[in-house]
PDB file of all heavy atoms in Angstrom:
ATOM      1  N   ARG A   1       0.820  -1.204   0.000  1.00 55.00           N
ATOM      2  CA  ARG A   1       0.000   0.000   0.000  1.00 55.00           C
ATOM      3  C   ARG A   1       0.855   1.256   0.000  1.00 55.00           C
ATOM      4  O   ARG A   1       0.518   2.262  -0.584  1.00 55.00           O
ATOM      5  CB  ARG A   1      -0.924   0.006   1.220  1.00 55.00           C
ATOM      6  CG  ARG A   1      -2.013  -1.050   1.181  1.00 55.00           C
ATOM      7  CD  ARG A   1      -3.159  -0.670   2.110  1.00 55.00           C
ATOM      8  NE  ARG A   1      -2.695  -0.462   3.475  1.00 55.00           N
ATOM      9  CZ  ARG A   1      -2.612  -1.441   4.373  1.00 55.00           C
ATOM     10  NH1 ARG A   1      -2.932  -2.683   4.044  1.00 55.00           N
ATOM     11  NH2 ARG A   1      -2.213  -1.180   5.600  1.00 55.00           N
ATOM     12  N   ARG A   2       2.006   1.165   0.695  1.00 54.00           N
ATOM     13  CA  ARG A   2       2.826   2.360   0.829  1.00 54.00           C
ATOM     14  C   ARG A   2       3.515   2.741  -0.467  1.00 54.00           C
ATOM     15  O   ARG A   2       3.530   3.900  -0.866  1.00 54.00           O
ATOM     16  CB  ARG A   2       3.873   2.158   1.926  1.00 54.00           C
ATOM     17  CG  ARG A   2       4.671   3.434   2.144  1.00 54.00           C
ATOM     18  CD  ARG A   2       5.630   3.327   3.302  1.00 54.00           C
ATOM     19  NE  ARG A   2       6.349   4.576   3.424  1.00 54.00           N
ATOM     20  CZ  ARG A   2       7.480   4.726   4.068  1.00 54.00           C
ATOM     21  NH1 ARG A   2       8.014   3.693   4.670  1.00 54.00           N
ATOM     22  NH2 ARG A   2       8.082   5.888   4.129  1.00 54.00           N
ATOM     23  N   PHE A   3       4.120   1.765  -1.147  1.00 49.00           N
ATOM     24  CA  PHE A   3       4.916   2.078  -2.325  1.00 49.00           C
ATOM     25  C   PHE A   3       4.191   1.785  -3.639  1.00 49.00           C
ATOM     26  O   PHE A   3       4.364   2.491  -4.619  1.00 49.00           O
ATOM     27  CB  PHE A   3       6.232   1.290  -2.290  1.00 49.00           C
ATOM     28  CG  PHE A   3       7.122   1.719  -1.168  1.00 49.00           C
ATOM     29  CD1 PHE A   3       7.362   0.863  -0.099  1.00 49.00           C
ATOM     30  CD2 PHE A   3       7.708   2.962  -1.163  1.00 49.00           C
ATOM     31  CE1 PHE A   3       8.182   1.252   0.941  1.00 49.00           C
ATOM     32  CE2 PHE A   3       8.526   3.364  -0.120  1.00 49.00           C
ATOM     33  CZ  PHE A   3       8.770   2.512   0.934  1.00 49.00           C
ATOM     34  N   GLY A   4       3.403   0.724  -3.675  1.00 45.00           N
ATOM     35  CA  GLY A   4       2.744   0.330  -4.913  1.00 45.00           C
ATOM     36  C   GLY A   4       3.659  -0.467  -5.811  1.00 45.00           C
ATOM     37  O   GLY A   4       4.864  -0.243  -5.865  1.00 45.00           O
ATOM     38  N   ARG A   5       3.064  -1.412  -6.554  1.00 35.00           N
ATOM     39  CA  ARG A   5       3.867  -2.299  -7.393  1.00 35.00           C
ATOM     40  C   ARG A   5       4.647  -1.545  -8.457  1.00 35.00           C
ATOM     41  O   ARG A   5       5.729  -1.940  -8.849  1.00 35.00           O
ATOM     42  CB  ARG A   5       2.973  -3.346  -8.072  1.00 35.00           C
ATOM     43  CG  ARG A   5       2.600  -4.504  -7.188  1.00 35.00           C
ATOM     44  CD  ARG A   5       1.824  -5.537  -7.972  1.00 35.00           C
ATOM     45  NE  ARG A   5       2.599  -6.103  -9.047  1.00 35.00           N
ATOM     46  CZ  ARG A   5       3.433  -7.126  -8.911  1.00 35.00           C
ATOM     47  NH1 ARG A   5       3.599  -7.671  -7.730  1.00 35.00           N
ATOM     48  NH2 ARG A   5       4.086  -7.597  -9.944  1.00 35.00           N
ATOM     49  N   ARG A   6       4.102  -0.436  -8.959  1.00 33.00           N
ATOM     50  CA  ARG A   6       4.782   0.246 -10.046  1.00 33.00           C
ATOM     51  C   ARG A   6       6.080   0.902  -9.604  1.00 33.00           C
ATOM     52  O   ARG A   6       6.912   1.269 -10.417  1.00 33.00           O
ATOM     53  CB  ARG A   6       3.850   1.310 -10.645  1.00 33.00           C
ATOM     54  CG  ARG A   6       2.679   0.724 -11.411  1.00 33.00           C
ATOM     55  CD  ARG A   6       1.750   1.812 -11.887  1.00 33.00           C
ATOM     56  NE  ARG A   6       1.158   2.531 -10.757  1.00 33.00           N
ATOM     57  CZ  ARG A   6       0.365   3.601 -10.899  1.00 33.00           C
ATOM     58  NH1 ARG A   6       0.080   4.055 -12.092  1.00 33.00           N
ATOM     59  NH2 ARG A   6      -0.141   4.179  -9.841  1.00 33.00           N
ATOM     60  N   ASP A   7       6.276   1.087  -8.278  1.00 42.00           N
ATOM     61  CA  ASP A   7       7.493   1.743  -7.789  1.00 42.00           C
ATOM     62  C   ASP A   7       8.710   0.849  -7.876  1.00 42.00           C
ATOM     63  O   ASP A   7       9.831   1.315  -7.779  1.00 42.00           O
ATOM     64  CB  ASP A   7       7.313   2.181  -6.325  1.00 42.00           C
ATOM     65  CG  ASP A   7       6.288   3.284  -6.198  1.00 42.00           C
ATOM     66  OD1 ASP A   7       6.122   4.045  -7.168  1.00 42.00           O
ATOM     67  OD2 ASP A   7       5.653   3.373  -5.130  1.00 42.00           O
ATOM     68  N   VAL A   8       8.511  -0.462  -7.977  1.00 38.00           N
ATOM     69  CA  VAL A   8       9.636  -1.389  -7.944  1.00 38.00           C
ATOM     70  C   VAL A   8       9.448  -2.447  -9.017  1.00 38.00           C
ATOM     71  O   VAL A   8       8.416  -3.094  -9.071  1.00 38.00           O
ATOM     72  CB  VAL A   8       9.748  -2.084  -6.564  1.00 38.00           C
ATOM     73  CG1 VAL A   8      10.954  -2.996  -6.546  1.00 38.00           C
ATOM     74  CG2 VAL A   8       9.867  -1.051  -5.459  1.00 38.00           C
ATOM     75  N   LEU A   9      10.439  -2.630  -9.885  1.00 32.00           N
ATOM     76  CA  LEU A   9      10.378  -3.667 -10.896  1.00 32.00           C
ATOM     77  C   LEU A   9      10.997  -4.936 -10.362  1.00 32.00           C
ATOM     78  O   LEU A   9      11.946  -4.901  -9.592  1.00 32.00           O
ATOM     79  CB  LEU A   9      11.139  -3.208 -12.153  1.00 32.00           C
ATOM     80  CG  LEU A   9      10.608  -1.919 -12.800  1.00 32.00           C
ATOM     81  CD1 LEU A   9      11.491  -1.550 -13.987  1.00 32.00           C
ATOM     82  CD2 LEU A   9       9.171  -2.099 -13.251  1.00 32.00           C
ATOM     83  N   ARG A  10      10.458  -6.096 -10.773  1.00 32.00           N
ATOM     84  CA  ARG A  10      10.984  -7.366 -10.297  1.00 32.00           C
ATOM     85  C   ARG A  10      12.447  -7.500 -10.663  1.00 32.00           C
ATOM     86  O   ARG A  10      12.824  -7.383 -11.826  1.00 32.00           O
ATOM     87  CB  ARG A  10      10.204  -8.523 -10.912  1.00 32.00           C
ATOM     88  CG  ARG A  10       8.783  -8.641 -10.394  1.00 32.00           C
ATOM     89  CD  ARG A  10       8.083  -9.827 -11.017  1.00 32.00           C
ATOM     90  NE  ARG A  10       8.762 -11.061 -10.669  1.00 32.00           N
ATOM     91  CZ  ARG A  10       8.524 -11.753  -9.569  1.00 32.00           C
ATOM     92  NH1 ARG A  10       7.655 -11.314  -8.697  1.00 32.00           N
ATOM     93  NH2 ARG A  10       9.166 -12.878  -9.336  1.00 32.00           N
ATOM     94  N   GLY A  11      13.284  -7.714  -9.646  1.00 33.00           N
ATOM     95  CA  GLY A  11      14.696  -7.938  -9.881  1.00 33.00           C
ATOM     96  C   GLY A  11      15.451  -6.688 -10.249  1.00 33.00           C
ATOM     97  O   GLY A  11      16.611  -6.758 -10.654  1.00 33.00           O
ATOM     98  N   ALA A  12      14.829  -5.518 -10.148  1.00 34.00           N
ATOM     99  CA  ALA A  12      15.480  -4.308 -10.643  1.00 34.00           C
ATOM    100  C   ALA A  12      16.536  -3.810  -9.682  1.00 34.00           C
ATOM    101  O   ALA A  12      16.441  -3.959  -8.490  1.00 34.00           O
ATOM    102  CB  ALA A  12      14.437  -3.218 -10.856  1.00 34.00           C
ATOM    103  N   LEU A  13      17.539  -3.124 -10.262  1.00 35.00           N
ATOM    104  CA  LEU A  13      18.504  -2.362  -9.478  1.00 35.00           C
ATOM    105  C   LEU A  13      18.401  -0.894  -9.856  1.00 35.00           C
ATOM    106  O   LEU A  13      19.351  -0.149  -9.733  1.00 35.00           O
ATOM    107  CB  LEU A  13      19.927  -2.861  -9.745  1.00 35.00           C
ATOM    108  CG  LEU A  13      20.295  -4.167  -9.071  1.00 35.00           C
ATOM    109  CD1 LEU A  13      21.709  -4.559  -9.447  1.00 35.00           C
ATOM    110  CD2 LEU A  13      20.188  -4.042  -7.575  1.00 35.00           C
ATOM    111  N   GLY A  14      17.238  -0.471 -10.380  1.00 35.00           N
ATOM    112  CA  GLY A  14      17.093   0.893 -10.851  1.00 35.00           C
ATOM    113  C   GLY A  14      17.190   1.895  -9.727  1.00 35.00           C
ATOM    114  O   GLY A  14      16.773   1.653  -8.612  1.00 35.00           O
ATOM    115  N   VAL A  15      17.727   3.090 -10.052  1.00 35.00           N
ATOM    116  CA  VAL A  15      17.912   4.098  -9.012  1.00 35.00           C
ATOM    117  C   VAL A  15      16.574   4.593  -8.492  1.00 35.00           C
ATOM    118  O   VAL A  15      16.447   4.985  -7.336  1.00 35.00           O
ATOM    119  CB  VAL A  15      18.751   5.283  -9.535  1.00 35.00           C
ATOM    120  CG1 VAL A  15      20.171   4.864  -9.765  1.00 35.00           C
ATOM    121  CG2 VAL A  15      18.149   5.882 -10.799  1.00 35.00           C
ATOM    122  N   ALA A  16      15.517   4.585  -9.318  1.00 35.00           N
ATOM    123  CA  ALA A  16      14.212   5.022  -8.823  1.00 35.00           C
ATOM    124  C   ALA A  16      13.698   4.073  -7.750  1.00 35.00           C
ATOM    125  O   ALA A  16      13.138   4.491  -6.739  1.00 35.00           O
ATOM    126  CB  ALA A  16      13.217   5.103  -9.971  1.00 35.00           C
ATOM    127  N   ALA A  17      13.892   2.767  -7.977  1.00 40.00           N
ATOM    128  CA  ALA A  17      13.445   1.777  -6.991  1.00 40.00           C
ATOM    129  C   ALA A  17      14.211   1.928  -5.696  1.00 40.00           C
ATOM    130  O   ALA A  17      13.642   1.913  -4.610  1.00 40.00           O
ATOM    131  CB  ALA A  17      13.638   0.370  -7.549  1.00 40.00           C
ATOM    132  N   ILE A  18      15.541   2.066  -5.802  1.00 37.00           N
ATOM    133  CA  ILE A  18      16.336   2.215  -4.591  1.00 37.00           C
ATOM    134  C   ILE A  18      15.969   3.497  -3.870  1.00 37.00           C
ATOM    135  O   ILE A  18      15.879   3.546  -2.652  1.00 37.00           O
ATOM    136  CB  ILE A  18      17.839   2.213  -4.942  1.00 37.00           C
ATOM    137  CG1 ILE A  18      18.222   0.877  -5.558  1.00 37.00           C
ATOM    138  CG2 ILE A  18      18.678   2.476  -3.715  1.00 37.00           C
ATOM    139  CD1 ILE A  18      18.116  -0.288  -4.632  1.00 37.00           C
ATOM    140  N   GLY A  19      15.732   4.547  -4.613  1.00 39.00           N
ATOM    141  CA  GLY A  19      15.358   5.796  -3.976  1.00 39.00           C
ATOM    142  C   GLY A  19      14.064   5.669  -3.205  1.00 39.00           C
ATOM    143  O   GLY A  19      13.926   6.192  -2.105  1.00 39.00           O
ATOM    144  N   ALA A  20      13.091   4.941  -3.767  1.00 42.00           N
ATOM    145  CA  ALA A  20      11.805   4.780  -3.097  1.00 42.00           C
ATOM    146  C   ALA A  20      11.931   3.945  -1.847  1.00 42.00           C
ATOM    147  O   ALA A  20      11.329   4.231  -0.829  1.00 42.00           O
ATOM    148  CB  ALA A  20      10.802   4.138  -4.052  1.00 42.00           C
ATOM    149  N   ILE A  21      12.735   2.871  -1.937  1.00 43.00           N
ATOM    150  CA  ILE A  21      12.833   1.944  -0.810  1.00 43.00           C
ATOM    151  C   ILE A  21      13.826   2.431   0.228  1.00 43.00           C
ATOM    152  O   ILE A  21      13.580   2.415   1.421  1.00 43.00           O
ATOM    153  CB  ILE A  21      13.244   0.549  -1.308  1.00 43.00           C
ATOM    154  CG1 ILE A  21      12.184   0.028  -2.272  1.00 43.00           C
ATOM    155  CG2 ILE A  21      13.397  -0.412  -0.158  1.00 43.00           C
ATOM    156  CD1 ILE A  21      10.808  -0.047  -1.707  1.00 43.00           C
ATOM    157  N   ALA A  22      15.008   2.855  -0.204  1.00 41.00           N
ATOM    158  CA  ALA A  22      16.060   3.195   0.741  1.00 41.00           C
ATOM    159  C   ALA A  22      16.075   4.665   1.110  1.00 41.00           C
ATOM    160  O   ALA A  22      16.753   5.056   2.046  1.00 41.00           O
ATOM    161  CB  ALA A  22      17.425   2.803   0.162  1.00 41.00           C
ATOM    162  N   GLY A  23      15.344   5.499   0.363  1.00 41.00           N
ATOM    163  CA  GLY A  23      15.253   6.900   0.733  1.00 41.00           C
ATOM    164  C   GLY A  23      16.563   7.631   0.647  1.00 41.00           C
ATOM    165  O   GLY A  23      16.841   8.538   1.436  1.00 41.00           O
ATOM    166  N   SER A  24      17.434   7.277  -0.298  1.00 36.00           N
ATOM    167  CA  SER A  24      18.788   7.828  -0.292  1.00 36.00           C
ATOM    168  C   SER A  24      19.066   8.789  -1.426  1.00 36.00           C
ATOM    169  O   SER A  24      20.190   9.223  -1.588  1.00 36.00           O
ATOM    170  CB  SER A  24      19.804   6.684  -0.353  1.00 36.00           C
ATOM    171  OG  SER A  24      19.548   5.871  -1.479  1.00 36.00           O
ATOM    172  N   GLY A  25      18.067   9.136  -2.231  1.00 31.00           N
ATOM    173  CA  GLY A  25      18.275  10.123  -3.265  1.00 31.00           C
ATOM    174  C   GLY A  25      19.240   9.694  -4.332  1.00 31.00           C
ATOM    175  O   GLY A  25      20.049  10.491  -4.820  1.00 31.00           O
ATOM    176  N   LEU A  26      19.190   8.434  -4.760  1.00 29.00           N
ATOM    177  CA  LEU A  26      20.170   7.927  -5.705  1.00 29.00           C
ATOM    178  C   LEU A  26      19.911   8.350  -7.137  1.00 29.00           C
ATOM    179  O   LEU A  26      20.743   8.115  -7.997  1.00 29.00           O
ATOM    180  CB  LEU A  26      20.204   6.397  -5.635  1.00 29.00           C
ATOM    181  CG  LEU A  26      20.671   5.814  -4.311  1.00 29.00           C
ATOM    182  CD1 LEU A  26      20.704   4.301  -4.408  1.00 29.00           C
ATOM    183  CD2 LEU A  26      22.034   6.335  -3.928  1.00 29.00           C
ATOM    184  N   ALA A  27      18.781   8.964  -7.404  1.00 27.00           N
ATOM    185  CA  ALA A  27      18.450   9.282  -8.792  1.00 27.00           C
ATOM    186  C   ALA A  27      19.475  10.204  -9.435  1.00 27.00           C
ATOM    187  O   ALA A  27      19.624  10.219 -10.656  1.00 27.00           O
ATOM    188  CB  ALA A  27      17.073   9.929  -8.868  1.00 27.00           C
ATOM    189  N   ALA A  28      20.187  10.971  -8.640  1.00 26.00           N
ATOM    190  CA  ALA A  28      21.150  11.912  -9.202  1.00 26.00           C
ATOM    191  C   ALA A  28      22.511  11.291  -9.443  1.00 26.00           C
ATOM    192  O   ALA A  28      23.416  11.966  -9.934  1.00 26.00           O
ATOM    193  CB  ALA A  28      21.303  13.108  -8.265  1.00 26.00           C
ATOM    194  N   LEU A  29      22.679  10.021  -9.111  1.00 28.00           N
ATOM    195  CA  LEU A  29      24.000   9.416  -9.176  1.00 28.00           C
ATOM    196  C   LEU A  29      24.202   8.683 -10.477  1.00 28.00           C
ATOM    197  O   LEU A  29      23.279   8.132 -11.055  1.00 28.00           O
ATOM    198  CB  LEU A  29      24.176   8.453  -7.993  1.00 28.00           C
ATOM    199  CG  LEU A  29      24.054   9.153  -6.636  1.00 28.00           C
ATOM    200  CD1 LEU A  29      24.092   8.126  -5.535  1.00 28.00           C
ATOM    201  CD2 LEU A  29      25.147  10.182  -6.446  1.00 28.00           C
ATOM    202  N   GLY A  30      25.454   8.627 -10.905  1.00 32.00           N
ATOM    203  CA  GLY A  30      25.722   8.096 -12.225  1.00 32.00           C
ATOM    204  C   GLY A  30      26.172   6.671 -12.279  1.00 32.00           C
ATOM    205  O   GLY A  30      26.228   6.095 -13.361  1.00 32.00           O
ATOM    206  N   GLY A  31      26.555   6.029 -11.190  1.00 38.00           N
ATOM    207  CA  GLY A  31      27.018   4.648 -11.271  1.00 38.00           C
ATOM    208  C   GLY A  31      28.036   4.343 -10.196  1.00 38.00           C
ATOM    209  O   GLY A  31      28.298   5.138  -9.309  1.00 38.00           O
ATOM    210  N   LYS A  32      28.689   3.143 -10.299  1.00 40.00           N
ATOM    211  CA  LYS A  32      29.595   2.677  -9.248  1.00 40.00           C
ATOM    212  C   LYS A  32      30.762   3.619  -9.025  1.00 40.00           C
ATOM    213  O   LYS A  32      31.190   3.859  -7.914  1.00 40.00           O
ATOM    214  CB  LYS A  32      30.097   1.283  -9.589  1.00 40.00           C
ATOM    215  CG  LYS A  32      29.027   0.211  -9.530  1.00 40.00           C
ATOM    216  CD  LYS A  32      29.618  -1.158  -9.744  1.00 40.00           C
ATOM    217  CE  LYS A  32      28.534  -2.216  -9.706  1.00 40.00           C
ATOM    218  NZ  LYS A  32      29.082  -3.555  -9.920  1.00 40.00           N
ATOM    219  N   LYS A  33      31.324   4.177 -10.098  1.00 41.00           N
ATOM    220  CA  LYS A  33      32.493   5.037  -9.952  1.00 41.00           C
ATOM    221  C   LYS A  33      32.151   6.267  -9.125  1.00 41.00           C
ATOM    222  O   LYS A  33      32.889   6.680  -8.246  1.00 41.00           O
ATOM    223  CB  LYS A  33      33.012   5.453 -11.323  1.00 41.00           C
ATOM    224  CG  LYS A  33      34.301   6.246 -11.260  1.00 41.00           C
ATOM    225  CD  LYS A  33      34.851   6.518 -12.649  1.00 41.00           C
ATOM    226  CE  LYS A  33      36.162   7.292 -12.570  1.00 41.00           C
ATOM    227  NZ  LYS A  33      36.708   7.575 -13.925  1.00 41.00           N
ATOM    228  N   ALA A  34      30.996   6.861  -9.376  1.00 39.00           N
ATOM    229  CA  ALA A  34      30.596   8.042  -8.632  1.00 39.00           C
ATOM    230  C   ALA A  34      30.278   7.710  -7.179  1.00 39.00           C
ATOM    231  O   ALA A  34      30.477   8.532  -6.297  1.00 39.00           O
ATOM    232  CB  ALA A  34      29.373   8.677  -9.288  1.00 39.00           C
ATOM    233  N   LEU A  35      29.791   6.484  -6.936  1.00 41.00           N
ATOM    234  CA  LEU A  35      29.402   6.105  -5.585  1.00 41.00           C
ATOM    235  C   LEU A  35      30.572   5.707  -4.712  1.00 41.00           C
ATOM    236  O   LEU A  35      30.518   5.817  -3.501  1.00 41.00           O
ATOM    237  CB  LEU A  35      28.419   4.929  -5.658  1.00 41.00           C
ATOM    238  CG  LEU A  35      27.069   5.196  -6.334  1.00 41.00           C
ATOM    239  CD1 LEU A  35      26.325   3.888  -6.506  1.00 41.00           C
ATOM    240  CD2 LEU A  35      26.247   6.172  -5.530  1.00 41.00           C
TER     241      LEU A  35
END
């Protein structure tokens, strides 16, 4: 109910999914090197 199925794709590592679940603002990040 809180996030909804559309917020997370099965098996995804997308930054939008991580941002929704982990609350860490990852959408602005470019990848492993930047992290």
Side-chain angles (χ1 to χ4, degrees):
R1 291 201 304 271
R2 184 175 179 199
F3 294 111
R5 280 185 62 85
R6 290 176 297 176
D7 293 332
V8 182
L9 301 177
R10 290 182 62 87
L13 284 179
V15 291
I18 297 294
I21 299 303
S24 55
L26 296 182
L29 300 174
K32 292 186 181 180
K33 185 174 181 180
L35 296 171

